[in-house]
Amino acid sequence: MGIFNQKSKIKPAPQEVRVEKVIVQQKPRSFLTPNVPRASSSQYAAAARRSPNPRLSRPKSASPYPSSSDEKRAAIARKRKAVTSTPRDSPAFGNDSESEDEDDDLFRKRFRRNESRSVDLNRKLRHKKAFGDEIRDSRIIHAADIASVATKCPPIHGAKPEEVPIELQYPSRCKRERYELVWQKDKIDAVKDILSVIEHVAETYLTDDEAKPFIDNNASFRRQMERAISEKYRDIPVFRTALQNYNDKLLELVENGTIAKNLDELHHLPPSLVSFILTQVYDRTVAPKVDSLKQYQMGSDNVYGELLHPFVTKLLVEQTKMTSDQVFIDLGSGVGNVVLQAALEIGCRSYGCEMMENACNLAEAQEKEFRSRCLLWGVAHGRVHLERGDFRTNAKILEKLKEADVILVNNKAFTSTLNDALINMFLDLKKGCKIISLKSFVHENKTAINDVANSILDVQRYRYHENWVSWAAAEGDYYISTKK
């Protein structure tokens, strides 16, 4: 073609195509670093976040470590979102599209049970109390307790007062969760939450044929709700009818034993559902009080930050390959995020120890809601044990360290004194125990005097991805040490 799409009169010479065979070496995912600067791990010097789910907005960082702007971090995070992506500063009902390109056939994106991860046949997913004859009260914090007209959230446009309260059925014999059709920035988005629950139920709890009425693009419950709530149609009664039909159908599958039977055939949950359940817990317990986590002394060991869900999945599932019969310990566990994720994603015994009072209070609130919400979802979790106090002197933690298979110590901001104390604690670890840290415990100088860590640990260094920690959007180093 010539200029302005006119046909050129000049005939180009015939092109010759040369084919070369090139061998490209794969970039190694990790490399040995037997001598790296010392450190430890537990809490992270960082700004407290409003939610571990990167969809949600967060206050400006107070981290002592360099980080990108909150705006850039939020933009990157939104791109990583898994289900029905809408930023928290705009309601989920703001758009509608009939195009198949935008929906991209959600049904084909369903969770595949033959994922490429090792199967832990000892892991039993069905919660023993979730499928009895009686309808149970899971004692959750309802979404309507956080976001409602009573908490000064305005109803969504077009909703009459009597149309605002709604209920959502979960895959268990538990009472439904109460929602209200309201929307306010930094509050639980009822529409988005409900649509996500429906998709997770279809992806994980149902076979392909059973899932069609739930998320098939043409006439599914989910699509009816999306269309009804869109700006183009905005028909709240139709939305409520589709939701009621979903509730009735799911309850039927619960009562006839389909959900329990399907859960019995699974041995792990997809990471997207793990992340969603944990985010629900966080949004109802930590997010309303997140500002209290910024009350710490800069430059001390007691600073706060979080490893986000994808990072923890990478560590526990892919790299350390934990199983449900093992023991996980988080030294400096903050509000308990990683402890709860290990218990849910792996099903193992999971311990945490924290000394900051505000973080301990929120961790206990999270644990209570976590137990209730796992019952609501019908899934069993591993045992959770949260300890208050200094992990250097806590009797329970010192006892369980001898049994530990994987230990997390986020030592991003620990003093050298605390790091040295940790090294002495590692002397009693069993052979093969893995220690995950944000800095290495081994000296850079191999000949360093009294380098105990170098004599007891083999260390590998890795890189974590952008947006995998709460205190920075950039990539960074982390270390996995193995007790010799």
Side-chain angles (χ1 to χ4, degrees):
M1 284 290 198
I3 301 174
F4 305 121
N5 293 327
Q6 299 294 323
K7 263 190 177 179
S8 173
K9 296 181 181 180
I10 303 173
K11 294 183 178 179
Q15 295 182 339
E16 293 183 3
V17 179
R18 185 176 65 182
V19 179
E20 292 185 359
K21 189 177 290 186
V22 179
I23 298 175
V24 180
Q25 291 186 347
Q26 187 176 2
K27 185 178 178 180
R29 296 177 63 182
S30 66
F31 48 95
L32 292 173
T33 56
N35 300 294
V36 218
R38 229 174 14 175
S40 65
S41 100
S42 143
Q43 298 157 257
Y44 340 152
R49 301 176 307 112
R50 289 214 173 268
S51 167
N53 188 326
R55 290 177 298 170
L56 313 185
S57 59
R58 300 189 295 196
K60 289 184 180 179
S61 173
S63 171
Y65 298 97
S67 66
S68 301
S69 69
D70 286 341
E71 290 75 18
K72 177 183 177 184
R73 186 159 47 205
I76 297 173
R78 283 194 291 269
K79 292 179 182 178
R80 302 180 62 86
K81 201 188 86 48
V83 202
T84 84
S85 126
T86 315
R88 237 233 178 132
D89 56 358
S90 62
F93 46 86
N95 287 311
D96 175 66
S97 172
E98 299 285 348
S99 83
E100 293 183 4
D101 289 339
E102 183 172 315
D103 287 332
D104 198 21
D105 200 348
L106 289 171
F107 185 66
R108 293 199 188 105
K109 293 182 178 179
R110 296 187 56 240
F111 168 53
R112 301 304 178 202
R113 291 170 175 79
N114 59 347
E115 285 180 337
S116 58
R117 63 175 280 181
S118 57
V119 178
D120 180 3
L121 295 176
N122 294 322
R123 176 80 195 275
K124 308 300 180 186
L125 277 181
R126 178 162 60 93
H127 199 299
K128 293 180 180 179
K129 298 180 180 180
F131 299 96
D133 295 332
E134 300 291 327
I135 295 179
R136 300 182 65 94
D137 184 355
S138 59
R139 302 183 184 277
I140 59 169
I141 299 173
H142 293 264
D145 296 331
I146 306 297
S148 64
V149 173
T151 60
K152 300 182 180 180
C153 296
I156 65 175
H157 180 68
K160 298 175 183 178
E162 65 273 15
E163 295 173 335
V164 170
I166 53 176
E167 292 184 340
L168 179 67
Q169 178 71 43
Y170 281 77
S172 67
R173 286 281 289 171
C174 292
K175 291 182 179 180
R176 294 172 180 175
E177 181 168 15
R178 291 182 287 104
Y179 284 84
E180 290 193 11
L181 290 176
V182 298
W183 185 85
Q184 189 174 76
K185 185 177 180 180
D186 293 334
K187 293 283 189 177
I188 295 170
D189 187 330
V191 173
K192 183 186 296 183
D193 227 43
I194 289 169
L195 294 177
S196 296
V197 168
I198 294 172
E199 185 171 346
H200 284 300
V201 167
E203 287 178 339
T204 305
Y205 293 77
L206 304 176
T207 64
D208 288 349
D209 287 339
E210 293 162 355
K212 287 180 180 178
F214 291 82
I215 59 172
D216 182 85
N217 281 342
N218 299 321
S220 65
F221 304 132
R222 187 180 190 277
R223 187 59 184 138
Q224 289 176 44
M225 288 184 229
E226 286 178 326
R227 189 179 294 110
I229 210 71
S230 68
E231 289 182 349
K232 183 177 179 180
Y233 297 101
R234 193 54 58 86
D235 194 330
I236 305 301
V238 170
F239 178 89
R240 289 170 58 90
T241 299
L243 176 58
Q244 185 58 50
N245 291 338
Y246 156 82
N247 287 340
D248 293 344
K249 182 61 178 177
L250 181 57
L251 183 58
E252 175 190 326
L253 294 174
V254 170
E255 291 179 336
N256 67 21
T258 298
I259 299 296
K261 176 178 173 293
N262 290 346
L263 273 178
D264 285 339
E265 295 177 1
L266 299 178
H267 297 284
H268 72 274
L269 296 174
S272 59
L273 178 55
V274 171
S275 177
F276 184 75
I277 294 174
L278 295 173
T279 298
Q280 284 191 317
V281 172
Y282 191 102
D283 284 350
R284 288 153 177 78
T285 54
V286 179
K289 301 176 182 178
V290 72
D291 288 341
S292 67
L293 295 176
K294 293 187 286 186
Q295 299 171 13
Y296 56 79
Q297 183 180 352
M298 300 292 287
S300 71
D301 295 316
N302 296 328
V303 288
Y304 187 77
E306 297 166 2
L307 272 62
L308 306 189
H309 299 145
F311 192 5
V312 178
T313 297
K314 174 76 173 179
L315 293 170
L316 302 187
V317 176
E318 295 184 29
Q319 293 188 292
T320 59
K321 300 185 186 301
M322 287 201 73
T323 55
S324 57
D325 58 350
Q326 293 185 317
V327 174
F328 171 80
I329 300 179
D330 187 351
L331 299 177
S333 50
V335 297
N337 288 345
V338 183
V339 176
L340 299 181
Q341 184 166 347
L344 180 58
E345 190 156 26
I346 306 299
C348 61
R349 282 186 291 156
S350 193
Y351 295 82
C353 190
E354 176 57 51
M355 65 186 302
M356 292 188 347
E357 184 177 0
N358 290 337
C360 286
N361 294 338
L362 292 176
E364 290 173 359
Q366 277 217 105
E367 182 190 5
K368 182 179 178 182
E369 178 67 11
F370 172 76
R371 294 180 188 277
S372 298
R373 201 151 283 272
C374 285
L375 174 61
L376 183 69
W377 280 94
V379 294
H381 57 79
R383 293 183 181 180
V384 174
H385 305 268
L386 295 175
E387 296 287 322
R388 286 177 178 254
D390 191 333
F391 53 69
R392 293 172 293 185
T393 57
N394 184 283
K396 171 71 80 173
I397 294 299
L398 292 175
E399 174 192 347
K400 293 302 174 183
L401 278 174
K402 299 174 184 178
E403 304 175 29
D405 297 282
V406 177
I407 298 170
L408 170 65
V409 193
N410 180 7
N411 53 347
K412 187 68 177 177
F414 278 8
T415 61
S416 58
T417 301
L418 183 53
N419 283 331
D420 289 341
L422 280 164
I423 293 169
N424 290 330
M425 291 170 62
F426 296 158
L427 290 170
D428 293 330
L429 299 181
K430 65 184 181 183
K431 184 178 180 180
C433 177
K434 305 287 186 184
I435 305 162
I436 303 163
S437 61
L438 273 291
K439 291 181 180 177
S440 176
F441 288 100
V442 175
H443 280 296
E444 224 170 29
N445 180 6
K446 261 188 176 181
T447 61
I449 300 174
N450 296 327
D451 185 6
V452 178
N454 190 49
S455 64
I456 65 172
L457 300 175
D458 285 325
V459 183
Q460 283 186 300
R461 184 171 68 183
Y462 300 88
R463 296 284 290 177
Y464 58 76
H465 292 190
E466 293 179 345
N467 239 61
W468 273 18
V469 295
S470 68
W471 58 87
E475 297 178 349
D477 291 337
Y478 68 98
Y479 303 82
I480 299 180
S481 306
T482 304
K483 176 71 187 301
K484 295 179 182 178

